[in-house]
Structure formats: C-alpha cells, structure tokens
C-alpha cells in the first residue's frame, strides 16, 4: 500500500478562507481586464463573482479598481493588494509543494548514549545523533529529504565545526528531476572506515530533495560522491523495541 500526503493551499484572513478558486478569479480579471469577461471565462455568474470580490475586500481591502472609459473602453484592473495576495498564495503553494514531495529515509539502530533529548544511535551507516524518546533502546530514525544538505566533500566543513551533527559520504545512485526540483538518492558509506583506509558501503540509502539550480551548481550526476549533512533536530527516532520496565531495573 502506498500512502501519499495531501495538501490544499489556503490563506485565512479575518475568518475568510482564500483558496485556489479565488486566485483563479483574480488571474482571470487581470487577464481579461473585465469582471464580466472573467466570469464568462470561468463559467461563473457575474453576480456571484462580484459577491465574492466584496467578501474578500471586506477582509483584505480593495482588490479591483475601475479603469474609466476612453480609447481603450475602460474596464477593471487589480490593485497592488490583489497582486500581493496572489504572490503570497503562490509562495505558500511552493512551500507546500516542497512538503508534499518530501520523502523520509529511515535508519534503524540501537541507542548508544544520550544527552538530554538527544541520543547517539548506532546504525548501519554509522552513528546518528537524533531526537530520541526517553527509555528507547532500539529505534528507527526518520530524516526528511528536504532537511538534508548536499555539498562537495572537499569543500564542506568537518564535523564539529558546523551545526550539522550528522555528516555522511555517499555515491549518487539516482536523480529524478521535475519542475525545478531534483530528488537525489545516495548510497551511503560507513563513517568508521577500517584501518587500511578502504571504504565499505553501508547498504543504506539516503534520499535528498534539492532545487535543480543547486543540483546543477554541484554538477550532480550518477556516480558522483557527495557529502550529505543534516541537523540532529531533523532526525527523529521512534522506538521499535520494548523499553526496560521498572521491575527489570529493580531486578538487575
């Protein structure tokens, strides 16, 4: 079974909900220069379109202004308030698109040590610092693809001199690009390399989500080696085993 998250872009102002239909209405008025023509193009009645404009204007201010007749015959145009409303809606839509496209990579492991809410979890890819629930011993760590930062290994700072507590090196195994966003999958190498300097593949995949511009600037291609970093607060662990009970503690 495949589950997909659904998101609907809406803005709320003074109890009025502004959705995609409202933005389409403003776009039609802007495009046709007339509320009558916009209503016809959208297949709506002029009365209902005008009523909706009045409702929105009561919450956000004037959205349209009448352009008096003349050589061009007059008409209706959008105010700066309407244009800014459209821009804010589109920015919100872009943010939700990023959330909807984000996937989650999972690291399974055992909690090795803990400092407050953070714990170090030993995984197949090496230690991961994550938010770990109290009492958890065996966990799964979820890392959202849009929380991972990619960089050239030779140019990225070493662990300890950056706020990114988790850093891994991996080889690009796949790239899926669409609509200005690239989903890049890395096959991770183990952090603790053997004494002879050879590297081992951790058999763990890490999915990342970056803009196409970032992918192009890094020259990302299949087979390229990259450094993947993410903050401890972006890694959240959930228990997969039973935490020790109070009776177990007392008997030990």
């Amino acid at each position: 079974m495949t589950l997909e998250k659904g998101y609907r872009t809406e803005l709320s102002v003074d109890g009025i909900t502004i959705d995609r239909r409202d933005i389409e209405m403003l776009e039609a008025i802007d495009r046709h220069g007339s509320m009558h023509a916009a209503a016809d193009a959208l297949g709506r009645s002029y009365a209902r379109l005008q009523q909706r404009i009045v409702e929105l204007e009561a919450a956000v201010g004037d959205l349209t202004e009448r352009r008096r007749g003349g050589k061009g015959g007059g008409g209706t145009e959008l105010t700066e308030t309407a244009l800014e409303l459209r821009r804010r809606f589109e920015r919100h839509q872009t943010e939700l698109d990023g959330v909807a496209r984000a996937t989650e990579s999972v690291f399974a492991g055992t909690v090795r040590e803990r400092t407050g809410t953070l714990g170090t979890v030993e995984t197949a890819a090496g230690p991961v610092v994550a938010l770990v629930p109290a009492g958890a011993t065996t966990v799964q760590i979820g890392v959202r693809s849009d929380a991972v930062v990619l960089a050239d290994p030779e140019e990225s700072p070493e662990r300890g001199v950056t706020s990114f507590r988790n850093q891994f090196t991996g080889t690009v195994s796949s790239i899926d690009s669409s609509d200005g966003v690239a989903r890049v999958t890395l096959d991770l190498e183990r952090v603790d390399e053997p004494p002879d300097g050879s590297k081992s593949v951790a058999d763990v995949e890490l999915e990342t989500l970056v803009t196409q511009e970032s992918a192009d600037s890094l020259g990302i291609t299949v087979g390229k080696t990259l450094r993947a970093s993410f903050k401890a607060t972006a890694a959240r662990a959930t228990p997969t085993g039973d935490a020790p009970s109070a009776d177990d503690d007392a008997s030990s």
Side-chain angles (χ1 to χ4, degrees):
M1 178 184 296
T2 300
L3 298 178
E4 298 182 357
K5 297 178 181 178
Y7 297 88
R8 180 180 179 181
T9 306
E10 292 180 343
L11 298 177
S12 181
V13 182
D14 292 340
I16 295 293
T17 299
I18 301 167
D19 59 18
R20 170 55 67 182
R21 278 175 57 87
D22 296 320
I23 300 304
E24 290 175 349
M25 175 182 65
L26 295 177
E27 290 172 345
I29 294 172
D30 191 29
R31 182 167 57 252
H32 296 283
S34 162
M35 291 177 62
H36 280 285
D40 290 340
L42 294 171
R44 305 182 199 176
S45 72
Y46 172 77
R48 289 188 177 181
L49 185 144
Q50 186 181 45
Q51 180 183 2
R52 185 55 178 167
I53 289 291
V54 171
E55 292 172 351
L56 294 178
E57 288 184 332
V60 302
D62 292 342
L63 296 174
T64 64
E65 57 185 12
R66 183 70 179 173
R67 186 176 63 248
R68 296 191 177 279
K71 188 175 182 180
T76 302
E77 59 186 22
L78 299 184
T79 64
E80 182 57 35
T81 298
L83 296 175
E84 176 59 23
L85 183 63
R86 288 173 58 185
R87 288 191 288 265
R88 289 182 60 184
F89 189 92
E90 294 304 331
R91 285 197 297 269
H92 186 40
Q93 177 71 62
T94 300
E95 292 171 357
L96 283 185
D97 282 345
V99 172
R101 295 184 191 186
T103 55
E104 192 174 71
S105 298
V106 177
F107 297 78
T110 303
V111 180
R112 191 174 67 190
E113 58 185 41
R114 183 192 302 273
T115 305
T117 59
L118 295 180
T120 300
V121 181
E122 190 61 40
T123 75
V128 176
V129 182
L131 294 169
V132 179
T137 54
T138 58
V139 297
Q140 285 189 336
I141 301 170
V143 181
R144 283 171 51 91
S145 57
D146 56 348
V148 181
V149 176
L150 297 179
D152 189 310
E154 297 182 358
E155 298 178 0
S156 55
E158 294 297 327
R159 185 179 299 142
V161 295
T162 174
S163 60
F164 292 102
R165 300 285 296 276
N166 300 293
Q167 293 190 356
F168 297 90
T169 301
T171 303
V172 178
S173 59
S174 67
I175 307 171
D176 182 13
S177 300
S178 64
D179 298 329
V181 176
R183 191 186 307 280
V184 182
T185 303
L186 301 181
D187 288 334
L188 299 185
E189 301 168 354
R190 277 201 61 88
V191 172
D192 50 341
E193 298 177 6
D196 62 4
S198 62
K199 297 179 180 179
S200 59
V201 178
D203 196 27
V204 174
E205 289 187 343
L206 178 64
E207 287 199 355
T208 70
L209 196 66
V210 299
T211 63
Q212 188 61 53
E213 182 180 357
S214 295
D216 293 340
S217 65
L218 286 170
I220 297 179
T221 57
V222 172
K224 185 179 179 66
T225 299
L226 292 171
R227 175 73 59 80
S229 306
F230 54 90
K231 295 184 178 182
T233 51
R236 295 180 176 272
T238 55
T240 57
D242 294 333
S245 65
D247 292 339
D248 292 336
D249 290 340
S251 61
S252 59

